[in-house]
Amino acid sequence: MQDITSAPSPPTTTLGYALFATRWLQAPLYFGLVAAQGVYVYKFFNELWALVLRCVTGQATETYVMLAVLKLVDVVMIANLLIMVIVGGYETFVSRIGLQGHRDQPEWLSHVNSNVLKVKLATAIVGISSVHLLQMFVDVHHTSRHSLLWGTVIHMAFIASAAILAYMSGPMAAQAERAHHSSHQPHQQRAAEAGPPEKAVIPAQRDQAPSAEDRLRAAGFPARKLLEDFDAEHLRSFDREAVARLGKLDFVTARRNVVFTGPPGTGKTHLAVGLGVRACQAGHRVLFATAGEWAARLAGAQADGRLTDELRRLDAYALLIVDEVGYLPFDADTSQLFFRLVAHRYERGSLVVTGDRPPARWDEVFGGPAAPAMVDRIAHHAEIVRLEGDSYRMRRATSEWAG
Protein backbone atom coordinates (compact mmCIF):
# COMPACT_ATOMS: atom_id res chain seq x y z
CA MET A 1 0.00 0.00 0.00
CA GLN A 2 2.88 2.30 0.78
CA ASP A 3 4.35 1.74 -2.68
CA ILE A 4 1.07 2.78 -4.28
CA THR A 5 0.59 6.01 -2.36
CA SER A 6 4.20 7.17 -2.36
CA ALA A 7 4.96 10.10 -4.63
CA PRO A 8 7.23 9.57 -7.61
CA SER A 9 10.77 10.85 -7.49
CA PRO A 10 11.28 14.45 -8.66
CA PRO A 11 13.41 13.48 -11.72
CA THR A 12 10.74 11.02 -12.87
CA THR A 13 8.01 13.59 -12.37
CA THR A 14 9.99 16.27 -14.22
CA LEU A 15 10.68 13.94 -17.13
CA GLY A 16 7.03 12.91 -17.34
CA TYR A 17 5.85 16.51 -17.33
CA ALA A 18 8.43 17.39 -19.98
CA LEU A 19 7.31 14.56 -22.23
CA PHE A 20 3.68 15.45 -21.69
CA ALA A 21 4.39 19.09 -22.55
CA THR A 22 5.63 18.04 -25.99
CA ARG A 23 1.99 17.66 -27.02
CA TRP A 24 2.02 21.42 -27.60
CA LEU A 25 4.32 20.81 -30.56
CA GLN A 26 1.18 19.64 -32.37
CA ALA A 27 -0.62 22.96 -31.84
CA PRO A 28 0.97 24.64 -34.91
CA LEU A 29 -0.16 21.68 -37.01
CA TYR A 30 -3.80 22.39 -36.16
CA PHE A 31 -3.35 26.09 -36.92
CA GLY A 32 -1.96 24.97 -40.29
CA LEU A 33 -5.16 23.01 -40.85
CA VAL A 34 -7.10 26.17 -40.04
CA ALA A 35 -5.19 27.89 -42.87
CA ALA A 36 -6.07 24.94 -45.13
CA GLN A 37 -9.71 25.47 -44.15
CA GLY A 38 -9.39 29.03 -45.46
CA VAL A 39 -7.97 27.70 -48.74
CA TYR A 40 -11.04 25.46 -49.16
CA VAL A 41 -13.36 28.39 -48.44
CA TYR A 42 -11.64 30.31 -51.26
CA LYS A 43 -11.86 27.28 -53.55
CA PHE A 44 -15.58 26.86 -52.79
CA PHE A 45 -16.51 30.41 -53.70
CA ASN A 46 -14.24 30.34 -56.75
CA GLU A 47 -16.03 27.24 -58.06
CA LEU A 48 -19.42 28.71 -57.16
CA TRP A 49 -18.65 31.93 -59.04
CA ALA A 50 -17.59 29.98 -62.12
CA LEU A 51 -20.81 27.95 -61.99
CA VAL A 52 -22.98 31.07 -61.69
CA LEU A 53 -21.20 32.78 -64.60
CA ARG A 54 -21.65 29.79 -66.92
CA CYS A 55 -25.31 29.44 -65.93
CA VAL A 56 -25.97 33.14 -66.54
CA THR A 57 -24.25 33.10 -69.94
CA GLY A 58 -26.08 29.92 -70.96
CA GLN A 59 -22.90 27.85 -71.33
CA ALA A 60 -23.72 25.34 -68.57
CA THR A 61 -25.07 21.96 -69.55
CA GLU A 62 -27.00 19.74 -67.16
CA THR A 63 -24.01 17.43 -66.77
CA TYR A 64 -21.73 20.38 -66.04
CA VAL A 65 -24.09 21.76 -63.40
CA MET A 66 -24.34 18.36 -61.71
CA LEU A 67 -20.58 17.87 -61.71
CA ALA A 68 -20.02 21.43 -60.44
CA VAL A 69 -22.51 20.93 -57.60
CA LEU A 70 -20.87 17.61 -56.68
CA LYS A 71 -17.52 19.39 -56.64
CA LEU A 72 -18.95 21.98 -54.24
CA VAL A 73 -20.33 19.19 -52.03
CA ASP A 74 -16.91 17.54 -52.14
CA VAL A 75 -15.24 20.76 -50.97
CA VAL A 76 -17.76 21.14 -48.12
CA MET A 77 -17.28 17.53 -46.99
CA ILE A 78 -13.50 17.92 -46.96
CA ALA A 79 -13.95 21.14 -44.97
CA ASN A 80 -16.14 19.22 -42.50
CA LEU A 81 -13.42 16.59 -42.25
CA LEU A 82 -10.93 19.33 -41.44
CA ILE A 83 -13.21 20.67 -38.70
CA MET A 84 -13.41 17.21 -37.10
CA VAL A 85 -9.65 16.82 -37.22
CA ILE A 86 -8.97 20.33 -35.93
CA VAL A 87 -11.48 20.41 -33.07
CA GLY A 88 -11.56 16.70 -32.17
CA GLY A 89 -7.83 16.14 -32.59
CA TYR A 90 -6.85 19.22 -30.60
CA GLU A 91 -9.32 18.30 -27.85
CA THR A 92 -8.08 14.70 -27.70
CA PHE A 93 -4.34 15.03 -28.14
CA VAL A 94 -3.32 18.58 -27.14
CA SER A 95 -5.55 20.37 -24.62
CA ARG A 96 -9.12 20.87 -23.48
CA ILE A 97 -10.89 23.59 -25.43
CA GLY A 98 -13.39 24.14 -22.61
CA LEU A 99 -16.64 24.08 -24.58
CA GLN A 100 -18.66 22.34 -21.86
CA GLY A 101 -22.01 24.06 -21.57
CA HIS A 102 -21.62 26.02 -24.80
CA ARG A 103 -24.89 26.11 -26.73
CA ASP A 104 -23.12 25.23 -30.02
CA GLN A 105 -21.01 22.38 -28.67
CA PRO A 106 -21.21 19.46 -31.16
CA GLU A 107 -22.92 16.39 -29.72
CA TRP A 108 -20.00 14.12 -30.66
CA LEU A 109 -17.46 16.35 -28.89
CA SER A 110 -18.92 15.54 -25.45
CA HIS A 111 -17.61 11.95 -25.70
CA VAL A 112 -14.75 12.34 -28.17
CA ASN A 113 -11.70 10.10 -27.86
CA SER A 114 -9.13 8.67 -30.21
CA ASN A 115 -11.32 5.69 -31.18
CA VAL A 116 -14.41 7.83 -31.82
CA LEU A 117 -12.30 10.28 -33.82
CA LYS A 118 -10.86 7.50 -36.00
CA VAL A 119 -14.29 6.09 -36.79
CA LYS A 120 -15.73 9.51 -37.60
CA LEU A 121 -12.79 10.34 -39.84
CA ALA A 122 -13.12 6.99 -41.61
CA THR A 123 -16.83 7.50 -42.25
CA ALA A 124 -16.15 11.04 -43.49
CA ILE A 125 -13.55 9.70 -45.92
CA VAL A 126 -16.09 7.13 -47.16
CA GLY A 127 -18.53 9.97 -47.81
CA ILE A 128 -15.93 11.96 -49.75
CA SER A 129 -15.00 8.86 -51.74
CA SER A 130 -18.69 8.31 -52.54
CA VAL A 131 -18.93 11.81 -53.99
CA HIS A 132 -15.81 11.25 -56.12
CA LEU A 133 -17.20 7.94 -57.38
CA LEU A 134 -20.54 9.58 -58.17
CA GLN A 135 -18.71 12.23 -60.20
CA MET A 136 -17.12 9.47 -62.24
CA PHE A 137 -20.49 7.81 -62.90
CA VAL A 138 -22.12 11.10 -63.89
CA ASP A 139 -19.31 11.82 -66.35
CA VAL A 140 -19.01 8.16 -67.38
CA HIS A 141 -18.63 9.00 -71.08
CA HIS A 142 -15.41 10.86 -70.35
CA THR A 143 -14.09 8.40 -67.74
CA SER A 144 -12.03 5.37 -68.72
CA ARG A 145 -12.94 1.88 -67.57
CA HIS A 146 -9.61 1.69 -65.80
CA SER A 147 -10.45 4.76 -63.71
CA LEU A 148 -13.94 3.47 -62.93
CA LEU A 149 -12.60 0.08 -61.86
CA TRP A 150 -9.92 1.46 -59.57
CA GLY A 151 -12.25 4.16 -58.23
CA THR A 152 -14.73 1.46 -57.22
CA VAL A 153 -12.02 -0.75 -55.71
CA ILE A 154 -10.57 2.13 -53.69
CA HIS A 155 -14.04 3.13 -52.51
CA MET A 156 -14.76 -0.43 -51.32
CA ALA A 157 -11.40 -0.46 -49.55
CA PHE A 158 -12.41 2.72 -47.69
CA ILE A 159 -15.73 1.10 -46.71
CA ALA A 160 -13.98 -2.05 -45.48
CA SER A 161 -11.42 -0.07 -43.45
CA ALA A 162 -14.19 2.04 -41.86
CA ALA A 163 -16.14 -1.11 -40.96
CA ILE A 164 -13.03 -2.69 -39.41
CA LEU A 165 -12.30 0.47 -37.39
CA ALA A 166 -15.91 0.59 -36.16
CA TYR A 167 -15.75 -3.09 -35.19
CA MET A 168 -12.44 -2.67 -33.36
CA SER A 169 -13.61 0.44 -31.51
CA GLY A 170 -16.36 -1.57 -29.77
CA PRO A 171 -14.03 -3.89 -27.79
CA MET A 172 -11.69 -0.96 -27.08
CA ALA A 173 -14.53 1.11 -25.66
CA ALA A 174 -15.74 -1.87 -23.62
CA GLN A 175 -12.23 -2.36 -22.23
CA ALA A 176 -12.03 1.31 -21.27
CA GLU A 177 -15.44 1.04 -19.59
CA ARG A 178 -14.29 -2.01 -17.61
CA ALA A 179 -11.18 -0.12 -16.53
CA HIS A 180 -13.39 2.78 -15.43
CA HIS A 181 -15.59 0.46 -13.38
CA SER A 182 -12.52 -1.22 -11.88
CA SER A 183 -11.23 2.14 -10.67
CA HIS A 184 -14.52 2.60 -8.77
CA GLN A 185 -14.54 -0.93 -7.36
CA PRO A 186 -13.40 0.10 -3.82
CA HIS A 187 -16.46 2.36 -3.51
CA GLN A 188 -18.72 -0.43 -4.76
CA GLN A 189 -17.19 -2.89 -2.29
CA ARG A 190 -17.83 -0.51 0.58
CA ALA A 191 -21.41 -0.08 -0.63
CA ALA A 192 -21.90 -3.85 -0.77
CA GLU A 193 -20.42 -4.37 2.72
CA ALA A 194 -22.62 -1.64 4.20
CA GLY A 195 -25.76 -3.21 2.76
CA PRO A 196 -28.36 -1.89 0.33
CA PRO A 197 -29.80 1.61 0.68
CA GLU A 198 -32.99 1.96 2.63
CA LYS A 199 -35.02 3.01 -0.39
CA ALA A 200 -33.14 1.75 -3.41
CA VAL A 201 -32.85 -1.86 -4.46
CA ILE A 202 -29.28 -2.60 -5.45
CA PRO A 203 -29.03 -5.17 -8.26
CA ALA A 204 -27.31 -8.42 -7.44
CA GLN A 205 -23.60 -8.70 -8.13
CA ARG A 206 -22.98 -9.91 -11.66
CA ASP A 207 -19.95 -10.62 -13.75
CA GLN A 208 -20.99 -7.81 -16.08
CA ALA A 209 -21.79 -4.21 -15.24
CA PRO A 210 -25.38 -3.42 -14.23
CA SER A 211 -27.67 -2.60 -17.11
CA ALA A 212 -29.48 0.68 -17.55
CA GLU A 213 -32.67 -0.99 -16.34
CA ASP A 214 -30.88 -2.13 -13.17
CA ARG A 215 -29.70 1.41 -12.50
CA LEU A 216 -33.17 2.83 -13.14
CA ARG A 217 -34.77 0.39 -10.68
CA ALA A 218 -32.08 1.07 -8.07
CA ALA A 219 -32.45 4.86 -8.32
CA GLY A 220 -35.78 4.89 -6.49
CA PHE A 221 -37.58 7.32 -8.80
CA PRO A 222 -41.24 7.92 -7.85
CA ALA A 223 -42.04 7.60 -11.59
CA ARG A 224 -40.00 7.55 -14.74
CA LYS A 225 -40.08 10.92 -16.41
CA LEU A 226 -38.23 11.92 -19.57
CA LEU A 227 -36.90 15.35 -20.42
CA GLU A 228 -38.48 15.00 -23.85
CA ASP A 229 -41.93 14.67 -22.28
CA PHE A 230 -41.71 17.87 -20.24
CA ASP A 231 -44.57 20.24 -21.06
CA ALA A 232 -43.41 23.83 -20.63
CA GLU A 233 -46.50 25.47 -22.11
CA HIS A 234 -47.92 26.27 -18.68
CA LEU A 235 -44.78 28.16 -17.62
CA ARG A 236 -44.30 31.90 -18.00
CA SER A 237 -40.52 31.64 -17.74
CA PHE A 238 -38.44 28.62 -18.67
CA ASP A 239 -34.81 28.41 -19.80
CA ARG A 240 -34.99 25.72 -22.49
CA GLU A 241 -31.35 26.18 -23.45
CA ALA A 242 -30.18 25.58 -19.88
CA VAL A 243 -32.19 22.35 -19.62
CA ALA A 244 -30.94 21.18 -23.02
CA ARG A 245 -27.40 21.89 -21.89
CA LEU A 246 -27.92 19.99 -18.65
CA GLY A 247 -29.34 17.10 -20.67
CA LYS A 248 -25.86 16.48 -22.09
CA LEU A 249 -24.85 15.45 -18.50
CA ASP A 250 -21.58 17.39 -18.56
CA PHE A 251 -22.45 18.61 -15.05
CA VAL A 252 -22.31 14.99 -13.80
CA THR A 253 -18.84 14.31 -15.18
CA ALA A 254 -17.70 17.73 -13.92
CA ARG A 255 -19.21 16.99 -10.46
CA ARG A 256 -21.33 20.14 -10.54
CA ASN A 257 -24.78 20.74 -9.05
CA VAL A 258 -28.21 21.72 -10.37
CA VAL A 259 -30.94 23.56 -8.47
CA PHE A 260 -34.51 23.78 -9.81
CA THR A 261 -36.61 26.40 -8.00
CA GLY A 262 -40.19 27.52 -8.46
CA PRO A 263 -43.75 27.27 -7.14
CA PRO A 264 -45.42 23.87 -6.68
CA GLY A 265 -46.60 22.15 -9.83
CA THR A 266 -44.16 23.82 -12.22
CA GLY A 267 -42.31 20.60 -13.09
CA LYS A 268 -39.21 20.69 -10.90
CA THR A 269 -39.45 17.02 -9.95
CA HIS A 270 -40.12 16.05 -13.57
CA LEU A 271 -36.92 17.76 -14.72
CA ALA A 272 -34.88 16.30 -11.85
CA VAL A 273 -36.12 12.78 -12.56
CA GLY A 274 -35.60 13.34 -16.30
CA LEU A 275 -31.95 14.20 -15.68
CA GLY A 276 -31.63 11.19 -13.37
CA VAL A 277 -33.14 8.82 -15.93
CA ARG A 278 -30.81 10.11 -18.63
CA ALA A 279 -27.83 9.72 -16.27
CA CYS A 280 -28.81 6.10 -15.58
CA GLN A 281 -29.05 5.45 -19.30
CA ALA A 282 -25.59 6.98 -19.75
CA GLY A 283 -24.05 4.56 -17.24
CA HIS A 284 -24.15 6.60 -14.01
CA ARG A 285 -25.60 5.43 -10.70
CA VAL A 286 -28.30 7.72 -9.33
CA LEU A 287 -30.23 7.85 -6.05
CA PHE A 288 -33.47 9.80 -5.58
CA ALA A 289 -35.24 10.79 -2.34
CA THR A 290 -37.22 13.70 -0.96
CA ALA A 291 -35.60 16.09 1.49
CA GLY A 292 -37.61 14.52 4.31
CA GLU A 293 -36.47 11.03 3.33
CA TRP A 294 -32.86 12.17 3.15
CA ALA A 295 -33.21 13.73 6.61
CA ALA A 296 -34.55 10.47 8.04
CA ARG A 297 -31.84 8.45 6.32
CA LEU A 298 -29.00 10.63 7.61
CA ALA A 299 -30.50 10.85 11.11
CA GLY A 300 -30.79 7.05 11.25
CA ALA A 301 -27.18 6.63 10.17
CA GLN A 302 -26.02 9.10 12.81
CA ALA A 303 -28.05 7.36 15.51
CA ASP A 304 -26.37 4.06 14.57
CA GLY A 305 -22.92 5.65 14.60
CA ARG A 306 -22.32 5.03 10.88
CA LEU A 307 -22.87 8.48 9.34
CA THR A 308 -19.32 8.66 8.00
CA ASP A 309 -19.64 5.22 6.44
CA GLU A 310 -23.01 6.18 4.94
CA LEU A 311 -21.53 9.29 3.32
CA ARG A 312 -18.68 7.23 1.90
CA ARG A 313 -21.14 4.65 0.61
CA LEU A 314 -22.97 7.38 -1.29
CA ASP A 315 -19.74 8.09 -3.20
CA ALA A 316 -20.70 5.14 -5.40
CA TYR A 317 -23.50 7.32 -6.83
CA ALA A 318 -22.49 9.89 -9.41
CA LEU A 319 -25.74 11.80 -8.86
CA LEU A 320 -27.94 12.31 -5.80
CA ILE A 321 -31.34 13.97 -6.15
CA VAL A 322 -32.85 15.86 -3.19
CA ASP A 323 -36.48 16.67 -3.95
CA GLU A 324 -38.91 19.10 -2.28
CA VAL A 325 -36.56 21.29 -0.26
CA GLY A 326 -38.55 23.99 1.51
CA TYR A 327 -41.85 22.24 2.11
CA LEU A 328 -40.80 21.12 5.61
CA PRO A 329 -38.57 23.16 7.97
CA PHE A 330 -35.59 21.41 9.56
CA ASP A 331 -34.12 22.01 12.98
CA ALA A 332 -30.47 22.81 13.63
CA ASP A 333 -29.47 19.15 14.09
CA THR A 334 -31.04 18.05 10.81
CA SER A 335 -29.57 21.07 9.05
CA GLN A 336 -26.16 19.99 10.29
CA LEU A 337 -26.72 16.55 8.75
CA PHE A 338 -27.57 18.11 5.38
CA PHE A 339 -24.44 20.23 5.67
CA ARG A 340 -22.40 17.06 6.22
CA LEU A 341 -23.90 15.55 3.07
CA VAL A 342 -23.31 18.65 0.94
CA ALA A 343 -19.79 19.19 2.30
CA HIS A 344 -18.90 15.55 1.62
CA ARG A 345 -20.23 15.73 -1.96
CA TYR A 346 -18.49 19.05 -2.66
CA GLU A 347 -16.41 18.61 -5.86
CA ARG A 348 -16.74 14.85 -5.37
CA GLY A 349 -20.21 14.13 -6.78
CA SER A 350 -23.22 15.91 -8.24
CA LEU A 351 -26.43 16.98 -6.52
CA VAL A 352 -29.75 17.92 -8.10
CA VAL A 353 -31.94 19.84 -5.66
CA THR A 354 -35.53 20.96 -6.19
CA GLY A 355 -37.30 23.49 -3.98
CA ASP A 356 -39.92 26.20 -3.80
CA ARG A 357 -37.40 28.96 -3.09
CA PRO A 358 -33.89 29.87 -4.29
CA PRO A 359 -30.82 28.88 -2.23
CA ALA A 360 -30.47 32.46 -0.96
CA ARG A 361 -33.65 31.86 1.11
CA TRP A 362 -32.74 28.43 2.46
CA ASP A 363 -32.13 29.98 5.85
CA GLU A 364 -35.94 29.96 6.08
CA VAL A 365 -35.85 26.14 5.81
CA PHE A 366 -32.66 25.07 7.54
CA GLY A 367 -32.21 26.20 11.12
CA GLY A 368 -28.92 26.90 12.83
CA PRO A 369 -25.67 28.28 11.42
CA ALA A 370 -25.14 25.51 8.82
CA ALA A 371 -27.38 27.00 6.10
CA PRO A 372 -25.00 29.72 4.77
CA ALA A 373 -22.06 27.31 4.51
CA MET A 374 -24.26 24.69 2.83
CA VAL A 375 -25.62 27.20 0.30
CA ASP A 376 -22.08 28.41 -0.43
CA ARG A 377 -20.91 24.90 -1.33
CA ILE A 378 -23.96 24.05 -3.42
CA ALA A 379 -24.06 27.34 -5.35
CA HIS A 380 -20.30 27.47 -6.01
CA HIS A 381 -20.54 24.87 -8.80
CA ALA A 382 -24.24 24.99 -9.64
CA GLU A 383 -26.64 25.78 -12.44
CA ILE A 384 -29.76 27.38 -10.95
CA VAL A 385 -32.88 27.08 -13.14
CA ARG A 386 -35.93 29.13 -12.19
CA LEU A 387 -39.40 27.91 -13.21
CA GLU A 388 -42.18 30.49 -13.11
CA GLY A 389 -45.80 29.75 -13.84
CA ASP A 390 -49.04 28.29 -12.60
CA SER A 391 -49.34 24.76 -11.29
CA TYR A 392 -49.59 22.19 -14.06
CA ARG A 393 -51.65 19.93 -11.81
CA MET A 394 -54.12 22.70 -10.95
CA ARG A 395 -54.45 23.71 -14.60
CA ARG A 396 -55.13 20.12 -15.60
CA ALA A 397 -57.64 19.65 -12.79
CA THR A 398 -59.42 22.88 -13.75
CA SER A 399 -59.57 21.80 -17.40
CA GLU A 400 -61.01 18.43 -16.50
CA TRP A 401 -63.61 20.06 -14.20
CA ALA A 402 -64.59 22.54 -16.92
CA GLY A 403 -64.91 19.70 -19.41
Side-chain angles (χ1 to χ4, degrees):
M1 186 67 179
Q2 185 176 359
D3 294 336
I4 296 176
T5 57
S6 60
S9 60
T12 304
T13 304
T14 303
L15 178 61
Y17 283 138
L19 291 175
F20 186 61
T22 59
R23 73 193 191 280
W24 288 103
L25 293 175
Q26 293 191 32
L29 305 182
Y30 292 102
F31 285 108
L33 291 179
V34 172
Q37 181 89 349
V39 172
Y40 269 97
V41 171
Y42 169 78
K43 180 176 176 61
F44 177 89
F45 284 102
N46 190 32
E47 296 285 348
L48 180 62
W49 179 249
L51 173 62
V52 171
L53 283 181
R54 294 195 64 169
C55 289
V56 170
T57 58
Q59 302 176 4
T61 63
E62 183 179 355
T63 301
Y64 171 80
V65 172
M66 188 177 299
L67 289 173
V69 171
L70 285 175
K71 188 177 294 186
L72 293 177
V73 172
D74 188 27
V75 171
V76 171
M77 293 184 70
I78 295 177
N80 292 339
L81 178 62
L82 281 173
I83 286 293
M84 277 197 292
V85 174
I86 293 170
V87 179
Y90 188 91
E91 174 89 6
T92 302
F93 301 110
V94 180
S95 180
R96 292 288 183 185
I97 301 179
L99 294 179
Q100 287 76 14
H102 193 282
R103 58 181 297 178
D104 294 329
Q105 179 188 1
E107 184 69 25
W108 57 270
L109 191 59
S110 61
H111 53 269
V112 70
N113 54 52
S114 57
N115 291 327
V116 172
L117 190 60
K118 290 175 185 175
V119 174
K120 289 189 174 294
L121 292 179
T123 53
I125 291 173
V126 169
I128 295 171
S129 175
S130 301
V131 174
H132 278 280
L133 192 60
L134 182 58
Q135 285 177 311
M136 291 183 181
F137 287 143
V138 170
D139 199 23
V140 67
H141 298 296
H142 299 88
T143 306
S144 64
R145 291 186 177 182
H146 182 270
S147 298
L148 283 175
L149 174 62
W150 280 108
T152 305
V153 170
I154 293 173
H155 179 65
M156 296 305 296
F158 283 144
I159 293 177
S161 62
I164 293 172
L165 274 175
Y167 175 77
M168 292 177 61
S169 66
M172 291 179 181
Q175 184 177 2
E177 183 68 17
R178 286 195 296 270
H180 175 75
H181 284 295
S182 298
S183 65
H184 290 80
Q185 191 63 28
H187 295 305
Q188 295 173 355
Q189 283 184 342
R190 283 196 296 267
E193 292 171 358
E198 296 172 7
K199 183 175 180 180
V201 179
I202 300 299
Q205 295 290 332
R206 296 182 177 91
D207 294 334
Q208 71 236 18
S211 65
E213 185 62 30
D214 292 331
R215 290 188 292 270
L216 286 168
R217 284 196 298 265
F221 297 124
R224 294 189 188 181
K225 304 286 188 179
L226 301 180
L227 292 178
E228 295 82 356
D229 297 335
F230 182 72
D231 180 13
E233 297 302 323
H234 66 292
L235 297 177
R236 292 188 296 271
S237 176
F238 177 60
D239 194 343
R240 297 176 185 272
E241 294 182 359
V243 174
R245 184 170 61 249
L246 293 172
K248 295 182 179 180
L249 302 180
D250 291 333
F251 77 95
V252 178
T253 55
R255 299 178 177 87
R256 297 175 64 88
N257 304 319
V258 179
V259 180
F260 292 111
T261 68
T266 50
K268 302 181 297 297
T269 302
H270 186 140
L271 292 175
V273 172
L275 289 177
V277 168
R278 186 167 292 186
C280 289
Q281 294 170 341
H284 301 291
R285 296 182 66 188
V286 180
L287 195 56
F288 176 98
T290 65
E293 290 167 341
W294 279 112
R297 182 191 188 112
L298 297 174
Q302 185 182 47
D304 296 339
R306 53 178 180 84
L307 180 59
T308 300
D309 293 335
E310 177 71 6
L311 294 176
R312 289 175 180 171
R313 187 159 68 94
L314 293 174
D315 289 342
Y317 297 89
L319 177 61
L320 300 182
I321 300 177
V322 183
D323 194 30
E324 298 179 351
V325 169
Y327 296 99
L328 294 174
F330 297 109
D331 56 24
D333 293 337
T334 305
S335 300
Q336 185 66 29
L337 293 176
F338 272 101
F339 171 76
R340 289 282 302 274
L341 174 65
V342 171
H344 184 83
R345 298 286 295 184
Y346 181 67
E347 295 184 340
R348 186 178 303 184
S350 296
L351 287 169
V352 171
V353 183
T354 73
D356 64 345
R357 64 200 75 189
R361 293 177 50 198
W362 281 5
D363 56 347
E364 303 171 5
V365 180
F366 297 97
M374 179 172 56
V375 170
D376 179 70
R377 283 167 173 78
I378 287 182
H380 182 212
H381 300 300
E383 176 105 26
I384 300 177
V385 180
R386 173 72 180 175
L387 307 179
E388 296 180 0
D390 300 326
S391 171
Y392 174 78
R393 289 183 289 268
M394 291 298 297
R395 188 190 70 164
R396 184 174 180 181
T398 303
S399 301
E400 291 177 354
W401 177 83

